[in-house]
Amino acid sequence: MSVLRLMETIREGWIKRVSQRIARGAGVRESSMEQLDKFYEALGYSLDTGDPTWLEHVIDGWMHGLTESDLVGEKASLSKILSEMLLGTQEYTSEVLTVEEAASLHASLLPLFTFAYEYATSRDISLRVDHVQRELEKAQFKLEQIDKSKSDFISVAAHELKTPLTLIEGYTSMIREVLPASGGDEYQESLFRGIDNGTKRLREIIDDMIDVSLLDNDLLSLNFQPMWVNRVLSTLQVELNEVLSQRQLALRIDDFPGAGEMTFGDPERLYQAFRNLLINAIKYTPDGGEIHVSGRTLPGFVEVTISDTGIGIDPEDHARIFEKFGQIGNISFHSSGKTKFKGGGPGLGLPITKGLIEAHGGTIWVESEKRDENSFPGSVFHVMVPIRKQPPDERSKKIFNSLVDGKNNQ
Ligand code: ADP
């Protein structure tokens, strides 16, 4: 009997057997008889014409029917279904055909199954890649939404807090004026100092929140002017002197190459960036430690390094600390003391610092072996500040030139 004729005689029984086997073995829903029937028919056409591409159409239809949930995990892999089909064919034909008939049918069907298997595998892979791609896009979209909500919240909260804070500051100075002069009343002075410290800290936090939202929305504009990195650093040394001696910390600033070179930058914003880094070095270094600022010139840049002998940062946190609210460790350590050992803040300092350095065209990264509060491995923050001999944009050029002209005409 010809192979095609053989196939015709076992058609009904094959479909039933294979359908049960697939439902059991491949773990999918009761397999559709109709689809198996189509596959069987395509096998016949392929045999008859010698063209296996008849099978592609059926496999594509099958693929099309897979739902998103089928694509999660290995359950509904078409290659697995095809393997079950081949095994089912072997099982069934050995029961209902003679050994010779079964052997000749297998010899004809095997190349077709191999073709179907290869085709299904490649379609399967591309379908799964598309599925993973879609899932990644969804996750990315969610992350962007979350980031936007964070950013919107910061911006709204900052503006909502600013008004009552201004009121508190205003009323405090009015109370000061209406109260009879304290004349050395230490208690009264300490009450005012308490309010001043609180409002100052609150203003710093609100200013940080505003800076984060400006950076997030690309609204921060820099005032480029001639500046010198060493001047920024020595001003900071003076400002931080008191807190350094309270915490018995030594701050050593080298006179490194490039520090005294003039560059166009925004000195106030760079001051803010280096201040954040030094405040962090103070905060995360135990009393008696050392903070060392050094650097070197590289083509087009001056690289500043801020090293401390503090608790260090685990490598897996090196990227996270530059993200908004990226503070690590125990939230209960949060305190309002900005320079207390391990006194955490809102986690906005480094994202702002990174934003400010990047707005200048520079980069920032951290090196630290690990976080260890016993051995204090320390951290090194690297900051690359571009050296610019000209203001970088037309706006700054105009402002700078008009200032120079104004001076020359005086
Ligand atoms: P925070 O307000 O919490 O200090 P930052 O954005 O300035 O926020 O820093 C984020 C986190 O990075 C900190 O909570 C701290 O865990 C870690 N960190 C920053 N600087 C240092 C440092 N010099 N040594 C150790 N850890 C640091």
Side-chain angles (χ1 to χ4, degrees), residues 136-313:
L136 278 177
E137 275 165 14
K138 271 193 227 159
Q140 176 73 18
F141 179 71
K142 263 193 201 152
L143 279 179
E144 279 166 14
Q145 292 287 94
I146 293 172
D147 203 53
K148 174 145 183 9
S149 309
K150 261 193 206 174
S151 175
D152 289 350
F153 169 75
I154 294 173
S155 157
V156 171
H159 286 99
E160 289 300 322
L161 290 171
K162 223 171 139 176
T163 317
L165 177 63
T166 310
L167 286 175
I168 296 171
E169 286 169 339
Y171 280 111
T172 313
S173 77
M174 280 160 70
I175 294 172
R176 250 201 194 112
E177 275 168 26
V178 295
L179 274 183
S182 64
D185 180 341
E186 192 38 47
Y187 179 60
Q188 188 176 310
E189 277 310 313
S190 75
L191 295 183
F192 278 120
R193 260 201 311 278
I195 298 176
D196 285 347
N197 287 342
T199 49
K200 188 167 161 254
R201 182 78 189 101
L202 200 51
R203 182 147 302 271
E204 279 173 357
I205 294 173
I206 295 172
D207 286 347
D208 276 359
M209 290 162 83
I210 291 172
D211 282 347
V212 162
S213 71
L214 287 178
L215 285 164
D216 271 355
N217 296 298
D218 267 338
L219 290 173
L220 186 105
S221 58
L222 297 175
N223 292 316
F224 282 93
Q225 51 190 281
M227 55 153 289
W228 293 260
V229 169
N230 58 2
R231 293 195 190 171
V232 170
L233 293 173
S234 52
T235 317
L236 275 167
Q237 178 139 43
V238 175
E239 188 203 316
L240 298 173
N241 220 358
E242 193 181 326
V243 60
L244 285 163
S245 69
Q246 277 165 11
R247 294 278 322 281
Q248 292 150 36
L249 293 166
L251 170 61
R252 191 155 54 88
I253 302 179
D254 289 352
D255 181 16
F256 54 89
E261 203 166 321
M262 188 281 278
T263 176
F264 272 85
D266 185 329
E268 275 183 36
R269 290 302 194 173
L270 282 180
Y271 178 88
Q272 183 184 358
F274 284 115
R275 186 175 184 276
N276 283 345
L277 294 174
L278 287 173
I279 294 273
N280 276 349
I282 292 172
K283 244 183 353 186
Y284 298 103
T285 302
D287 293 9
E290 189 187 84
I291 298 158
H292 179 203
V293 182
S294 190
R296 58 179 174 160
T297 44
L298 289 168
F301 289 90
V302 52
E303 181 187 12
V304 185
T305 51
I306 294 151
S307 328
D308 61 51
T309 54
I311 59 177
I313 304 162

Side-chain angles (χ1 to χ4, degrees), residues 201 208 276-285 306-308 310-314 317 320-329 334 338 343-353 366 368 371 378-381:
R201 182 78 189 101
D208 276 359
N276 283 345
L277 294 174
L278 287 173
I279 294 273
N280 276 349
I282 292 172
K283 244 183 353 186
Y284 298 103
T285 302
I306 294 151
S307 328
D308 61 51
I311 59 177
I313 304 162
D314 285 328
D317 292 323
R320 187 152 67 92
I321 56 170
F322 292 102
E323 287 166 17
K324 288 189 289 274
F325 307 117
Q327 68 276 70
I328 30 188
H334 278 234
K338 202 170 158 125
L348 296 178
L350 285 181
I352 293 173
T353 304
V366 67
S368 179
R371 179 182 172 120
S379 312
V380 186
F381 282 82

Side-chain angles (χ1 to χ4, degrees), residues 43-108:
L43 277 178
Y45 286 143
S46 301
L47 261 185
D48 198 19
T49 58
D51 176 10
T53 54
W54 287 98
L55 296 165
E56 289 180 359
H57 188 62
V58 186
I59 292 171
D60 286 340
W62 227 320
M63 287 284 182
H64 203 70
L66 289 183
T67 61
E68 286 286 307
S69 59
D70 288 331
L71 289 168
V72 181
E74 289 298 307
K75 262 169 68 179
S77 140
L78 255 197
S79 335
K80 208 167 170 188
I81 292 176
L82 281 166
S83 305
E84 288 297 332
M85 282 165 89
L86 188 58
L87 289 173
T89 309
Q90 273 169 348
E91 189 184 84
Y92 186 61
T93 51
S94 66
E95 288 170 21
V96 298
L97 297 179
T98 65
V99 177
E100 291 77 26
E101 284 172 337
S104 93
L105 187 63
H106 288 165
S108 308

